[in-house]
Amino acid sequence: MYGFEALTFNVHGGYLEAIVRGYHSGLLTAADYNNLCQCETLDDIKMHLSATEYGSYLQNEPSPLHTTTIVEKCTLKLVDEYKHMLTQATEPLSTFLEYITYGHMIDNVVLIVTGTLHERDVQELLEKCHPLGMFDSIATLAVAQNMRELYRLVLVDTPLAPYFSECITSEDLDDMNIEIMRNTLYKAYLEDFYRFCQKLGGATAEIMSDLLAFEADRRAVNISINSIGTELTRDDRRKLYSNFGLLYPYGHEELAVCEDIDQVRAAMEKYPPYQSIFTKLSYGESQMLDKAFYEEEVKRLCLAFEQQFHYGVFFAYMRLREQEIRNLMWISECVAQNQKSRVHDSVVFIF
Amino acid sequence: MVSSSSSWSQALVQISPYTFAAIGIALSIGVSVLGAAWGIYITGSSLIGAAIKAPRITSKNLISVIFCEAVAIYGVIVAIILQTKLESVPSSKMYDPESLRAGYAIFASGIIVGFANLVCGLCVGIIGSSCALSDAQNSSLFVKILVIEIFGSALGLFGVIVGIIMSAQATWPSGA
């Protein structure tokens, strides 16, 4: 019953919620980002980061550092925290935590399949996979020739199996089909996650519905913009949109027929929450759209921490940490390539 | 004793007043301790988790646990007071109106104290959990949230006061 979670939530989830809030307080602040943006070299970045929570992860790295090393160690910290929480969680929190990583699993699957298509070495690809999305038989993905084999050989044993029913075809895997496969899988995953949260009920359902709806709408806009000018038909495009969210169903109908960015903007400006995002961009510009979406997402994720006794804080923490890693990667790249003037283009402050 | 047409009311007045009094005493201690325990686990689980990142909060936030414990102590005190009010009456006077009144007064006193302490313990426990989490992030919030807890723990006191007043006028008929 919504409103009475406080009576029973702490039996199973109280300890972990307190732990995730402790992790949340360790996220980098605006002052930290200002310090990092003023660094001249990657070693300066390492020195600044050693004063934060990342200290123990970076201190043993030899110079010269690479940006990929920094990102890798920061991701390792996230994975350690996630595993710590997952081992202590009981049902249904453990299922909820696992759901958070299915998105990464999908990305890893697509990465390996695309890499194999372009004849890359499997070991090299495995190193590039996101550690949160690893599963046991991931290396055998390189063997599959088409989607049916992919499913039958590898994916039927993974948690992604139920998402494949919509996209099993006998077509060979090529770039276009792989992107369609990625988006179809992600659509099925989002809908499944949404249903699971609705089943949990209470504050979790309400907060997660809002966060997942924003995610679904953002993906719909990105799919529309990226498929302008490609050979993806309107019907195919509409099939990739999730069936929940603010834009469902009328916004999706308008987005499906858009042919350029200004039409997308016109379709989105009818929805007040997204109107504020699109008014920040001047006409014809779409590079800042990603940053505007990230800012809106971070704002909503921070609001999830305002309420106690629900699972949304776990999802919000993982996403905020991923945003922080993206920020660190951008700052490191700008510093490494000596383009510090562009550093503030893509850093989203969390605190 | 007025016999009414309903068979339920006839059945209820046939129950011995000792039964009502004993159940009242049991409720006063049992349900109060339920409230206190519930509140303590709600506070305790959050406090332990939050203290991992911020160990300084542990000693101050034990106050929340102490407030919950106080609720159980109220229940014990009232139960002891109530049991001293339980006297024997000669069996000829067992179902006199006076004796029924005494039995019901002790029963009501037990319910009042028990349930007031149950919700008070819950209230203090939930606030204590939020207090621990906010103190871990910003230590200036602790004293302000403590004020809310103090108001919450006053609820148990209200129950104890009314319960004691109720039971004070529980006089059994004297044996003669």
Side-chain angles (χ1 to χ4, degrees):
Chain A
M1 196 182 359
Y2 192 8
F4 289 87
E5 290 100 4
L7 300 181
T8 49
F9 182 86
N10 274 11
V11 181
H12 292 294
Y15 175 69
L16 283 175
E17 181 184 0
I19 288 203
V20 87
R21 282 177 186 266
Y23 288 153
H24 171 76
S25 68
L27 288 170
L28 297 177
T29 62
D32 289 324
Y33 282 125
N34 280 333
N35 281 343
L36 287 171
C37 290
Q38 284 162 4
C39 288
E40 296 290 334
T41 67
L42 290 180
D43 285 321
D44 281 345
I45 290 188
K46 173 179 160 187
M47 185 184 74
H48 276 121
L49 283 180
S50 60
T52 67
E53 305 266 326
Y54 287 109
S56 55
Y57 285 85
L58 281 177
Q59 71 193 17
N60 292 329
E61 292 303 307
S63 321
L65 281 180
H66 293 286
T67 56
T68 48
T69 321
I70 295 182
V71 171
E72 209 179 288
K73 292 298 166 193
C74 296
T75 314
L76 188 61
K77 178 169 192 283
L78 171 61
V79 172
D80 282 345
E81 288 173 353
Y82 174 78
K83 290 216 168 95
H84 177 75
M85 290 195 291
L86 186 61
T87 49
Q88 306 237 15
T90 61
E91 288 294 332
L93 179 56
S94 50
T95 312
F96 185 89
L97 286 175
E98 282 170 12
Y99 262 101
I100 299 178
T101 59
Y102 292 168
H104 291 298
M105 255 187 228
I106 294 175
D107 287 337
N108 285 352
V109 166
V110 169
L111 179 76
I112 292 193
V113 169
T114 319
T116 313
L117 195 66
H118 294 278
E119 319 218 342
R120 297 254 202 290
D121 181 37
V122 172
Q123 282 307 112
E124 191 191 316
L125 291 171
L126 282 178
E127 278 167 27
K128 290 200 181 158
C129 284
H130 197 285
L132 279 179
M134 298 299 276
F135 51 93
D136 284 336
S137 42
I138 193 168
T140 47
L141 282 172
V143 174
Q145 302 287 349
N146 61 27
M147 288 187 215
R148 208 175 281 279
E149 270 185 34
L150 202 63
Y151 179 71
R152 203 169 46 83
L153 290 179
V154 181
L155 291 164
V156 66
D157 289 325
T158 65
L160 298 179
Y163 307 148
F164 261 81
S165 56
E166 286 184 35
C167 63
I168 296 187
T169 61
S170 300
E171 291 174 18
D172 279 340
L173 299 166
D174 63 23
D175 279 321
M176 172 76 145
N177 288 339
I178 290 177
E179 273 310 301
I180 295 183
M181 176 177 88
R182 181 213 296 268
N183 284 310
T184 319
L185 284 179
Y186 212 93
K187 166 195 161 156
Y189 155 62
L190 276 183
E191 288 173 5
D192 193 24
F193 199 1
Y194 186 78
R195 271 195 301 270
F196 177 71
C197 291
Q198 294 294 104
K199 217 165 35 151
L200 289 176
T204 304
E206 174 159 326
I207 293 176
M208 287 304 296
S209 308
D210 183 51
L211 294 175
L212 290 176
F214 180 77
E215 176 78 14
D217 292 339
R218 180 171 77 163
R219 286 191 80 88
V221 170
N222 281 339
I223 289 174
S224 313
I225 292 183
N226 290 340
S227 61
I228 291 173
T230 64
E231 50 192 38
L232 194 65
T233 64
R234 290 177 180 182
D235 286 331
D236 279 342
R237 201 197 280 184
R238 188 177 305 150
K239 273 197 278 198
L240 295 177
Y241 297 149
S242 305
N243 61 1
F244 64 96
L246 200 58
L247 292 177
Y248 170 79
Y250 305 114
H252 288 167
E253 305 217 347
E254 290 188 26
L255 278 179
V257 301
C258 285
E259 295 298 333
D260 66 44
I261 297 198
D262 289 326
Q263 285 184 4
V264 170
R265 174 200 295 273
M268 296 299 286
E269 281 186 346
K270 301 195 177 88
Y271 296 88
Y274 303 130
Q275 184 183 30
S276 55
I277 297 178
F278 278 82
T279 48
K280 280 191 220 168
L281 312 172
S282 50
Y283 272 95
E285 181 194 304
S286 73
Q287 297 97 313
M288 301 306 286
L289 185 63
D290 274 344
K291 183 176 182 193
F293 270 130
Y294 282 138
E295 282 175 358
E296 178 71 19
E297 187 189 12
V298 163
K299 207 162 53 165
R300 288 176 189 227
L301 291 173
C302 286
L303 286 178
F305 284 87
E306 303 272 311
Q307 211 172 334
Q308 209 181 336
F309 308 120
H310 62 90
Y311 293 149
V313 289
F314 296 98
F315 178 81
Y317 171 70
M318 301 291 290
R319 284 296 167 98
L320 283 174
R321 183 61 89 179
E322 284 167 22
Q323 177 61 43
E324 180 177 279
I325 293 178
R326 272 197 290 270
N327 285 348
L328 284 175
M329 184 172 72
W330 179 261
I331 294 176
S332 309
E333 288 287 347
C334 285
V335 163
Q337 294 172 18
N338 257 326
Q339 296 217 18
K340 293 194 31 207
S341 53
R342 295 196 56 197
V343 135
H344 286 284
D345 277 354
S346 187
V347 173
V348 179
F349 292 155
I350 296 176
F351 276 126
Chain B
M1 195 164 66
V2 177
S3 64
S4 61
S5 53
S6 157
S7 60
W8 276 109
S9 67
Q10 282 186 344
L12 278 174
V13 299
Q14 295 290 344
I15 299 178
S16 155
Y18 293 150
T19 310
F20 277 110
I23 291 179
I25 297 173
L27 283 177
S28 101
I29 176 66
V31 178
S32 301
V33 168
L34 174 65
W38 203 329
I40 290 181
Y41 92 65
I42 291 180
T43 300
S45 49
S46 292
L47 180 53
I48 291 176
I52 291 183
K53 254 311 170 65
R56 60 182 164 80
I57 68 169
T58 41
S59 19
K60 277 202 292 186
N61 278 277
L62 285 178
I63 290 184
S64 310
V65 178
I66 291 174
F67 274 131
C68 288
E69 177 73 21
V71 154
I73 294 177
Y74 299 155
V76 173
I77 291 175
V78 171
I80 292 178
I81 291 176
L82 290 181
Q83 67 88 22
T84 58
K85 297 261 180 235
L86 197 54
E87 298 164 4
S88 289
V89 294
S91 44
S92 56
K93 299 206 177 173
M94 176 92 88
Y95 291 97
D96 281 359
E98 274 228 8
S99 169
L100 290 178
R101 175 175 172 266
Y104 297 155
I106 298 180
F107 177 62
S109 176
I111 290 186
I112 290 168
V113 170
F115 286 95
N117 285 336
L118 171 66
V119 293
C120 173
L122 275 172
C123 168
V124 173
I126 294 173
I127 299 176
S129 148
S130 307
C131 183
L133 293 178
S134 1
D135 189 16
Q137 302 245 1
N138 180 356
S139 42
S140 64
L141 289 175
F142 175 71
V143 178
K144 302 180 171 111
I145 298 182
L146 201 62
V147 173
I148 306 177
E149 267 188 72
I150 293 173
F151 278 109
S153 71
L155 302 173
L157 269 173
F158 298 157
V160 170
I161 292 171
V162 175
I164 291 185
I165 293 175
M166 270 302 291
S167 69
Q169 37 99 6
T171 45
W172 300 84
S174 48

